[in-house]
Amino acid sequence: MDADPFETVAVEAIESPCVLVCSIDTATGWCLGCGRTRDEIARWTAIDAAGRRAVMATLPDRMAILGQ
């Protein structure tokens, strides 16, 4: 039997801290909206879940620094 070309495939949702305020702070290199670096933003979908969690753990401190 042939595979169904319209078969539904489950796709894992990737959590993202993006709040659609994409502007990089020149002093820190962090996004003013989410706190990630340009490299972290660019590679976000390629980073594994553990790597994304590690970045996410740093964001509250970064955002606090940006808010000062």
Side-chain angles (χ1 to χ4, degrees):
M1 181 180 224
D2 290 332
D4 180 355
F6 301 104
E7 177 181 4
T8 302
V9 178
V11 177
E12 178 184 339
I14 296 178
E15 182 180 8
S16 173
C18 182
V19 295
L20 302 175
V21 177
C22 304
S23 182
I24 303 297
D25 177 71
T26 56
T28 63
W30 301 331
C31 174
L32 296 171
C34 69
R36 293 178 294 171
T37 65
R38 288 176 199 238
D39 183 56
E40 290 164 346
I41 294 167
R43 297 183 29 241
W44 195 251
T45 58
I47 300 171
D48 65 15
R52 288 191 302 271
R53 282 191 302 272
V55 172
M56 295 279 282
T58 67
L59 300 181
D61 288 340
R62 292 180 185 180
M63 293 305 292
I65 291 168
L66 288 172
Q68 293 179 355

